[in-house]
């Protein structure tokens, strides 16, 4: 019989939670929001477009427990981004539905 210490159990849970959270992604809802917000005009799943690929974004946030919240805030805040040599305001996601935005962020992070 294997006995887990409290530390071992907490570590196991902590390593499993991000996977569980990403497994529950509504892909159809996420891709619909990405399309309706115009994200796919600049971002692709595996290839760099005018913006980074979703795969590159996922790599940037990999292992960060607050990745969904951080990315959700980023895509709704309209930050200034550099495209080529020009700086411009990144368009915000066209939704006020926090759950839909977090689902979209989880979708991007699961790529």
């Amino acid at each position: 019989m294997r006995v887990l210490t409290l530390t071992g159990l907490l570590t196991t849970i902590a390593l499993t939670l991000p996977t569980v959270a990403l497994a529950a992604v509504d892909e159809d809802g996420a891709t619909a929001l990405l399309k309706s917000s115009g994200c796919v005009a600049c971002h692709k799943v595996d290839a760099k477009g005018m913006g980074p690929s979703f795969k590159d974004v996922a790599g940037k946030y990999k292992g960060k427990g607050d990745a969904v919240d951080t990315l959700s805030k980023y895509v709704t805040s309209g930050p200034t981004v550099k495209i080529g040599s020009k700086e411009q305001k990144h368009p915000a996601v066209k939704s006020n539905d926090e759950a839909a935005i977090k689902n979209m962020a989880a979708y991007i992070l699961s790529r």
Side-chain angles (χ1 to χ4, degrees), residues 33-34 36-39 72-79 89-96 101 104:
L33 183 54
L34 287 164
S36 68
S37 295
C39 303
S72 295
K73 182 178 177 184
Y74 183 85
V75 299
T76 57
S77 65
K89 186 172 174 132
H90 186 280
V93 171
K94 295 177 181 169
S95 176
N96 292 322
I101 294 166
M104 184 191 75

Side-chain angles (χ1 to χ4, degrees), residues 3-103:
V3 178
L4 285 177
T5 64
L6 181 57
T7 303
L9 179 61
L10 291 175
T11 301
T12 301
I13 292 169
L15 293 174
T16 305
L17 283 177
T19 304
V20 171
L22 294 178
V25 171
D26 170 12
E27 291 193 22
D28 291 339
T31 55
L33 183 54
L34 287 164
K35 287 177 185 176
S36 68
S37 295
C39 303
V40 295
C42 297
H43 301 277
K44 311 296 180 217
V45 173
D46 291 323
K48 181 175 177 15
M50 287 190 58
S53 70
F54 297 151
K55 185 177 179 180
D56 288 343
V57 172
K60 176 181 176 179
Y61 290 100
K62 186 175 182 173
K64 296 181 180 178
D66 64 344
V68 170
D69 289 334
T70 301
L71 186 55
S72 295
K73 182 178 177 184
Y74 183 85
V75 299
T76 57
S77 65
T80 300
V81 295
K82 189 170 185 177
I83 299 176
S85 61
K86 296 182 181 179
E87 287 192 357
Q88 66 183 49
K89 186 172 174 132
H90 186 280
V93 171
K94 295 177 181 169
S95 176
N96 292 322
D97 182 342
E98 187 176 338
I101 294 166
K102 286 188 178 202
N103 179 67

